[in-house]
Amino acid sequence: MAEATGIKEIIKPENLVYKKTKIMTDNVLSYCPGCGHGTTHRILAEIIDEEGLQSQTIGICPVGCSVLLYNFLDIDWQEAAHGRAPALATAVKRLLPDRFVFTYQGDGDLAAIGTAETIHACNRGENILIIFINNGIYGMTGGQMAPTTLPGMKSSTSPYGRDVKLMGNPLKMTDIVATLPGTYYVTRQSVHTPANVRKTKKAMKKAVQYQKLNKGTCFVEIVSNCPSNWKMTPVESNKWMEENMLPYYPLGDLKVPAEETTQKTINPEKND
Amino acid sequence: MAKIRGSIVVDIDKCKGCEVCRVSCPTGTIAMAKEVNHKGYFYAYPANPDLCIGCANCAMVCPDGVITVYKTKI
């Protein structure tokens, strides 16, 4: 009983370390248990809250598992046709240049049907942030093979594993986008461990701040899991992702702004 | 030396029992309940509350944001 009172003493507003931000609504997330989407939503909401951008943010919803995203974050939203989120974001940003505009897309949306929109938006250097959730599969429709599916990876339309000769090679969208002159900051992160979540938050925060500079597209890929369609438990799927996805999609910054790299070489201690 | 004590509060009704928090807890504070919540998930709860150091690792990885973390020095 003494222990219980001890805990009650700790649970006070002044001792609060972490609480879900108010930008996340009270609606229950529609995702499967352990899905990386929820974590990414939370990070995004925290950054918008910390930067004080709630009233200036316009998000573009994709088609896919996160199609109902507008129910979960209390900001302004637009719903785009399948894969066309970067095109819609271009329009929104050009009409309202003072707003913070981002798209949130999965790999079926961004890397399959929306390849053209994504590449051209990045090539034009639109001042938007593109958040790309890569779980190597079409999650919403039942785990069909996506362009990002790994070689040999089983999905409902490649039950014997992806055969590279027959079905082609996985598409590394982030690497392609990093080579385009229009992009300003390109990075690949994940959200399966606390350390990775913290790194992702730092990277996304940078990307949000870079939009104020009007220097080009920021692109954040988040390698995620899909426990339901990979047919694993959430913990197993995170482990599988670490062993199989991450060697193919290595984490880290792919393109860092040129000014930042020169600053780092001149004054390496101050920037760390 | 001041000892750091932490405590977590889990929103049991919203927890989906994915166990990601249990795996990421460095002190083994969290365990999965033997009973289910109203949605039928075996929810996470602080089984060994004395061990909690308030590192917020569980809250960081929780996909549903159901964990609130408190920390104090004793």
mmCIF file of all heavy atoms in Angstrom, chain A residues 9-10 26 62 80 94 100 167 216 246:
data_model
loop_
_atom_site.group_PDB
_atom_site.id
_atom_site.type_symbol
_atom_site.label_atom_id
_atom_site.label_comp_id
_atom_site.label_asym_id
_atom_site.label_seq_id
_atom_site.Cartn_x
_atom_site.Cartn_y
_atom_site.Cartn_z
ATOM 1 N N GLU A 9 2.173 9.987 -5.432
ATOM 2 C CA GLU A 9 2.929 11.228 -5.242
ATOM 3 C C GLU A 9 3.690 11.624 -6.500
ATOM 4 O O GLU A 9 3.902 12.796 -6.770
ATOM 5 C CB GLU A 9 3.907 11.070 -4.071
ATOM 6 C CG GLU A 9 3.246 11.316 -2.740
ATOM 7 C CD GLU A 9 4.048 10.763 -1.599
ATOM 8 O OE1 GLU A 9 5.275 10.604 -1.733
ATOM 9 O OE2 GLU A 9 3.435 10.475 -0.546
ATOM 10 N N ILE A 10 4.113 10.620 -7.250
ATOM 11 C CA ILE A 10 4.865 10.924 -8.488
ATOM 12 C C ILE A 10 3.918 11.475 -9.557
ATOM 13 O O ILE A 10 4.271 12.376 -10.306
ATOM 14 C CB ILE A 10 5.588 9.655 -9.001
ATOM 15 C CG1 ILE A 10 6.553 9.118 -7.950
ATOM 16 C CG2 ILE A 10 6.351 9.959 -10.286
ATOM 17 C CD1 ILE A 10 7.092 7.755 -8.247
ATOM 18 N N ASP A 26 -8.895 12.828 -29.762
ATOM 19 C CA ASP A 26 -9.177 11.686 -28.891
ATOM 20 C C ASP A 26 -9.689 10.461 -29.652
ATOM 21 O O ASP A 26 -9.977 9.436 -29.055
ATOM 22 C CB ASP A 26 -10.204 12.091 -27.812
ATOM 23 C CG ASP A 26 -9.565 12.989 -26.763
ATOM 24 O OD1 ASP A 26 -8.335 12.866 -26.580
ATOM 25 O OD2 ASP A 26 -10.271 13.801 -26.153
ATOM 26 N N PRO A 62 -3.408 11.067 -48.027
ATOM 27 C CA PRO A 62 -3.194 10.180 -49.176
ATOM 28 C C PRO A 62 -4.370 9.215 -49.329
ATOM 29 O O PRO A 62 -5.389 9.365 -48.645
ATOM 30 C CB PRO A 62 -1.979 9.409 -48.734
ATOM 31 C CG PRO A 62 -2.229 9.224 -47.270
ATOM 32 C CD PRO A 62 -2.976 10.435 -46.787
ATOM 33 N N ALA A 80 -6.472 14.078 -51.232
ATOM 34 C CA ALA A 80 -6.032 14.012 -52.629
ATOM 35 C C ALA A 80 -6.479 12.699 -53.258
ATOM 36 O O ALA A 80 -6.744 11.723 -52.561
ATOM 37 C CB ALA A 80 -4.519 14.122 -52.697
ATOM 38 N N ARG A 94 1.369 27.075 -53.509
ATOM 39 C CA ARG A 94 1.492 28.232 -54.405
ATOM 40 C C ARG A 94 0.405 29.265 -54.128
ATOM 41 O O ARG A 94 0.623 30.463 -54.282
ATOM 42 C CB ARG A 94 1.426 27.770 -55.860
ATOM 43 C CG ARG A 94 2.729 27.090 -56.260
ATOM 44 C CD ARG A 94 2.781 26.779 -57.714
ATOM 45 N NE ARG A 94 4.031 26.106 -58.024
ATOM 46 C CZ ARG A 94 4.504 25.967 -59.249
ATOM 47 N NH1 ARG A 94 3.839 26.436 -60.276
ATOM 48 N NH2 ARG A 94 5.634 25.353 -59.454
ATOM 49 N N PHE A 100 2.400 26.177 -43.807
ATOM 50 C CA PHE A 100 3.260 24.990 -43.793
ATOM 51 C C PHE A 100 2.473 23.850 -44.435
ATOM 52 O O PHE A 100 1.416 23.471 -43.947
ATOM 53 C CB PHE A 100 3.671 24.651 -42.358
ATOM 54 C CG PHE A 100 4.264 23.285 -42.212
ATOM 55 C CD1 PHE A 100 5.445 22.962 -42.880
ATOM 56 C CD2 PHE A 100 3.652 22.312 -41.445
ATOM 57 C CE1 PHE A 100 5.985 21.701 -42.768
ATOM 58 C CE2 PHE A 100 4.195 21.049 -41.334
ATOM 59 C CZ PHE A 100 5.363 20.744 -42.001
ATOM 60 N N MET A 167 9.246 -9.707 -61.795
ATOM 61 C CA MET A 167 8.497 -8.570 -61.223
ATOM 62 C C MET A 167 9.336 -7.308 -61.077
ATOM 63 O O MET A 167 8.854 -6.304 -60.565
ATOM 64 C CB MET A 167 7.925 -8.960 -59.857
ATOM 65 C CG MET A 167 6.964 -10.127 -59.923
ATOM 66 S SD MET A 167 7.002 -11.055 -58.408
ATOM 67 C CE MET A 167 5.930 -12.415 -58.783
ATOM 68 N N GLY A 216 13.421 24.450 -51.215
ATOM 69 C CA GLY A 216 13.126 23.263 -52.017
ATOM 70 C C GLY A 216 12.381 22.212 -51.223
ATOM 71 O O GLY A 216 12.006 22.433 -50.076
ATOM 72 N N LEU A 246 16.050 -2.896 -43.311
ATOM 73 C CA LEU A 246 17.069 -1.867 -43.091
ATOM 74 C C LEU A 246 18.366 -2.090 -43.882
ATOM 75 O O LEU A 246 18.957 -1.115 -44.346
ATOM 76 C CB LEU A 246 17.343 -1.671 -41.596
ATOM 77 C CG LEU A 246 16.141 -1.179 -40.769
ATOM 78 C CD1 LEU A 246 16.560 -0.774 -39.371
ATOM 79 C CD2 LEU A 246 15.414 -0.017 -41.431
#
